[in-house]
Amino acid sequence: LDHPGVAPVARAVSVERGGVLRGAYLIGVAVGEPLALTLAGGLQITPADTLRIAAELADALAELHARGLVHLD
C-alpha cells in the first residue's frame, strides 16, 4: 500500500483471539505532533484547512477500505 495518508506497513502478523486467527499489520510511527496537541497550543485552523484535512483522511480511509483493510483503533 503506497498512499501519502497511510503510514507504511512495518510487518504483517497473525494473532489468535478467542480461538479465531486474524491477520494484522503493524505500521510505522507517523512523524509530527498530534493535531489535538497542536490545537491545544492555540493554533487555529481555517475552515478551508479543516476541509482539506478531512478530505485527505477520507481519501486515505477509502484506499484502505478498497483494499479490504479496516482501521481498528
Side-chain angles (χ1 to χ4, degrees), residues 10 13 15 33 40-41 46 49 56 59-60 64 71 73:
V13 298
V15 179
E33 182 176 67
T46 67
D49 282 338
E56 290 173 3
D59 185 62
L64 290 172
H71 191 274
D73 70 339

Side-chain angles (χ1 to χ4, degrees), residues 1 3 5 10 12 16-18 23 25-26 28 30 33 40 42 49 51 54-56 59 61 64 69 71:
L1 179 63
H3 187 280
E16 184 178 341
R17 288 193 181 160
Y25 296 100
L26 304 178
E33 182 176 67
D49 282 338
L51 291 174
E56 290 173 3
D59 185 62
L61 284 173
L64 290 172
L69 300 171
H71 191 274

Side-chain angles (χ1 to χ4, degrees):
L1 179 63
D2 184 21
H3 187 280
V6 178
V9 173
R11 70 182 167 137
V13 298
S14 295
V15 179
E16 184 178 341
R17 288 193 181 160
V20 178
L21 187 62
R22 301 172 189 260
Y25 296 100
L26 304 178
I27 61 170
V29 176
V31 177
E33 182 176 67
L35 182 58
L37 288 179
T38 301
L39 295 173
L43 177 69
Q44 293 187 1
I45 297 178
T46 67
D49 282 338
T50 301
L51 291 174
R52 179 185 51 78
I53 292 167
E56 290 173 3
L57 288 169
D59 185 62
L61 284 173
E63 180 68 19
L64 290 172
H65 293 168
R67 294 176 180 258
L69 300 171
V70 179
H71 191 274
L72 294 177
D73 70 339

